[in-house]
Amino acid sequence: MPRRHDPGRRQRIIDAAIRVVGRGGIAGLSHRTVAAEADVPLGSTTYHFATLDELLVAALRQANEGFAEVLAAHPALRDPAADLAGGLARVLGEWLAGDRTGVELEYELYLAALRRPALRPVAAEWADGVAGLLAHRTDPVTARAVVALMDGICLQVLLTGTAYDEGYAREVLGRVLGRVPGRAATGG
């Protein structure tokens, strides 16, 4: 029997892995659960991804694209006269107010790098990419500090269940960006 050509199969497997992790966490991820979710033979998952770490790397890369795309499209990044701290605070608020399952999934995959060294380069790529988006509005060191602060704010909201406070985020982002309370922000 000839092999069926299915150019979308690899992507369906990645999408299925994201759904599996979204429902049951990384602990529920296996080649078998992903194959069942993607409705493909088990051998297809191991053909495209020899290890679960390879599959998690692909899933993390895809999940990371969401926030970076939202951030890159925001006018505060393109307009040098825009309030960068306020724009970033708005972006965080919009992202956290969106699909909560998707946000939690992105962070679960991101934090999996703590125990899975294969994921660390992808997590670093994400942080470097977001810092790169910010670098034309500020210096590289401040851009990395802003990324770390945004990560911390998101983790606190996700882990404590507290409501996102855009005013607080704007204030602390402004401080990192060099705005002194009571003085107008320049964004870099």
Side-chain angles (χ1 to χ4, degrees):
M1 181 172 192
R3 183 174 288 203
R4 192 178 78 169
H5 180 66
D6 185 358
R9 185 173 289 190
R10 184 178 192 282
Q11 185 59 52
R12 283 201 322 277
I13 292 168
I14 295 168
D15 293 342
I18 289 172
R19 288 191 303 274
V20 167
V21 172
R23 265 197 317 270
I26 290 176
L29 186 74
S30 70
H31 282 287
R32 189 170 304 283
T33 58
V34 171
E37 179 71 23
D39 194 25
V40 299
L42 177 60
S44 289
T45 63
T46 57
Y47 172 80
H48 289 286
F49 304 98
T51 67
L52 287 179
D53 280 350
E54 287 179 19
L55 181 53
L56 281 170
V57 163
L60 179 56
R61 274 208 172 95
Q62 183 168 312
N64 283 346
E65 292 171 359
F67 181 74
E69 287 173 3
V70 168
L71 186 60
H74 199 279
L77 274 154
R78 294 187 303 275
D79 179 2
D83 173 17
L84 184 58
L88 292 174
R90 263 188 311 284
V91 168
L92 284 181
E94 291 164 4
W95 188 63
L96 288 167
D99 175 22
R100 182 65 172 237
T101 303
V103 173
E104 290 172 356
L105 169 68
E106 286 186 46
Y107 267 94
E108 181 165 3
L109 289 168
Y110 182 62
L111 292 172
L114 290 170
R115 300 273 185 226
R116 294 179 177 263
L119 297 178
R120 291 179 187 158
V122 181
E125 285 172 17
W126 178 85
D128 292 343
V130 173
L133 290 172
L134 299 170
H136 73 278
R137 288 290 316 270
T138 188
D139 65 274
V141 171
T142 302
R144 291 191 62 77
V146 167
V147 171
L149 176 57
M150 291 188 321
D151 262 347
I153 291 170
C154 289
L155 281 171
Q156 286 180 359
V157 169
L158 293 171
L159 296 176
T160 65
T162 57
Y164 174 70
D165 183 344
E166 187 174 318
Y168 166 78
R170 184 176 44 257
E171 177 67 30
V172 296
L173 285 163
R175 289 180 185 204
V176 170
L177 289 163
R179 182 178 71 201
V180 177
R183 204 173 72 195
T186 61

